[in-house]
Amino acid sequence: MEKILILNGSPRAPRSNSKRYGALFDRAWGGESETMDLLRADPGAVAERLETVSRVLLVFPLYADAVPVPVLRTFQALEERPPKNRPTLSVLVNCGFLEPEQCDVAVDMAALFCKQMGWPMGSVLEIGSGEAILDSPFRFLAAWKIKALARAVAADRPRRLKAAMPVSKAFFLKASTRYWLAYGARHGVTGEEMATMEIEGQRPS
Ligand SMILES: Cc1cc2nc3c(=O)[nH]c(=O)nc-3n(C[C@H](O)[C@H](O)[C@H](O)COP(=O)(O)O)c2cc1C
């Protein structure tokens, strides 16, 4: 199978959920692959690698209903100095909220990038409850859809896939609130403090 370039667009790349999703994809892909972290990679090095592949998988988290900064910076750099090659770009995006549809705008941003660059848009997998699903009993649902994504990418048969934990919104909200309150408590931060705009004693200007 042809080599695929996996680009991790998470701002916390080395410890990210995107890294875990990328690794699951890599296992399902089975062929040759190379992974680059957009957080640290020089855009010139990314552009160089893009000349050598016909397929790219962009894995990233949803940040503020959009693509995160490492992805935005890479898009801008590639638009300024477009590679000669035009690989097919597939997308695996995960978000914290339950609904995979939260990722639609970010996927549209990737599709617009493809349109402007003249790259074919490939397959898409949107994962809701992306912070939680891999450590839940529903991990198999994410892994199953990632396998379907790998098959669609390999066959150059674009598909639009979604995955999420099959629980009600009320249950998810209750469980995630409990999780984040306990997480904050472990780091000496209360629920009230989390609800302010303050970050480590400073307010954003
Ligand atoms: C600054 C910030 C903004 C976020 N914005 C959203 C959002 O708009 N919608 C959402 O569903 N999740 C949002 N999330 C949750 C992340 O998408 C989620 O935690 C994801 O699993 C992180 O993936 P990563 O570990 O690959 O970075 C946000 C997280 C952070 C830290």
Side-chain angles (χ1 to χ4, degrees):
M1 199 174 329
E2 239 180 88
K3 179 175 164 179
I4 190 163
L5 181 63
I6 301 174
L7 300 176
N8 180 350
S10 171
R12 54 178 185 181
R15 293 178 294 117
S16 62
N17 294 316
S18 299
K19 185 176 176 182
R20 299 174 75 190
Y21 289 121
L24 282 171
F25 179 91
D26 197 11
R27 207 175 310 151
W29 179 253
E32 202 189 336
S33 72
E34 180 178 358
T35 299
M36 297 180 93
D37 289 346
L38 297 182
L39 180 67
R40 285 182 295 209
D42 169 48
V46 176
E48 216 171 89
R49 288 296 197 288
L50 287 167
E51 299 289 9
T52 67
V53 291
S54 60
R55 299 185 186 102
V56 179
L57 178 73
L58 177 62
V59 189
F60 65 92
L62 188 69
Y63 264 41
D65 288 333
V67 299
V69 167
V71 173
L72 208 53
R73 260 199 324 238
T74 305
F75 282 174
Q76 280 166 347
L78 293 172
E79 278 173 8
E80 279 162 24
R81 288 169 183 261
K84 287 193 197 75
N85 192 27
R86 293 179 179 179
T88 301
L89 183 83
S90 294
V91 166
L92 194 173
V93 49
N94 91 90
C95 70
F97 290 146
L98 181 61
E99 309 85 8
E101 299 75 37
Q102 301 271 350
C103 304
D104 284 354
V105 171
V107 172
D108 285 350
M109 291 171 84
L112 180 63
F113 168 78
C114 283
K115 193 174 167 197
Q116 284 171 343
M117 298 290 285
W119 294 12
M121 180 78 181
S123 293
V124 172
L125 171 57
E126 297 175 327
I127 301 181
S129 57
E131 181 81 43
I133 194 168
L134 288 182
D135 298 311
S136 79
F138 303 113
R139 176 190 166 91
F140 75 95
L141 289 175
W144 183 41
K145 287 293 167 76
I146 289 170
K147 278 186 192 152
L149 176 70
R151 280 197 302 272
V153 173
D156 291 323
R157 206 172 3 92
R159 288 189 70 189
R160 186 106 189 199
L161 301 158
K162 292 179 201 284
M165 289 166 70
V167 297
S168 70
K169 286 185 193 190
F171 175 87
F172 186 78
L173 190 62
K174 212 190 256 179
S176 56
T177 303
R178 204 169 44 225
Y179 172 83
W180 286 114
L181 286 177
Y183 191 95
R186 279 202 303 279
H187 294 86
V189 181
T190 65
E192 289 72 32
E193 284 166 330
M194 281 192 252
T196 70
M197 294 295 283
E198 241 172 53
I199 300 168
E200 294 181 353
Q202 299 199 328
R203 288 189 79 81
S205 48

